[in-house]
Amino acid sequence: PQIAQAHAGTKASPHAPLAADALFDSASCQIKLGRFEKARAIYQRIVRDYPQRAEEARRARKRIGH
């Protein structure tokens, strides 16, 4: 449910100040579930859509081996 809520929120308000935070939370959940490819895709989305958070997303993606 938390993952679905995060994605729904970012689709409804992609430019909201907390949208990138919701995506980071979603990626974290994916990692905890062992879904590393999905987490990498979310981090890539952050890099693409939220340039102000791109470096943070790149570091997180690197920690999971991408």
Side-chain angles (χ1 to χ4, degrees):
Q2 183 180 3
I3 296 170
Q5 288 176 341
H7 283 279
T10 60
K11 286 180 183 179
S13 300
H15 302 292
L18 298 178
D21 290 336
L23 288 171
F24 274 106
D25 289 346
S26 178
S28 178
C29 289
Q30 294 292 357
I31 291 168
K32 289 176 184 177
L33 293 169
R35 299 174 183 163
F36 301 106
E37 288 302 319
K38 288 185 178 190
R40 285 183 193 103
I42 293 167
Y43 288 133
Q44 186 58 39
R45 179 178 170 195
I46 295 168
V47 168
R48 182 189 71 227
D49 295 345
Y50 303 94
Q52 70 278 14
R53 305 287 299 272
E55 189 55 39
E56 184 179 357
R58 285 186 193 102
R59 285 193 305 268
R61 191 176 61 201
K62 193 173 190 177
R63 285 195 302 269
I64 59 172
H66 188 278

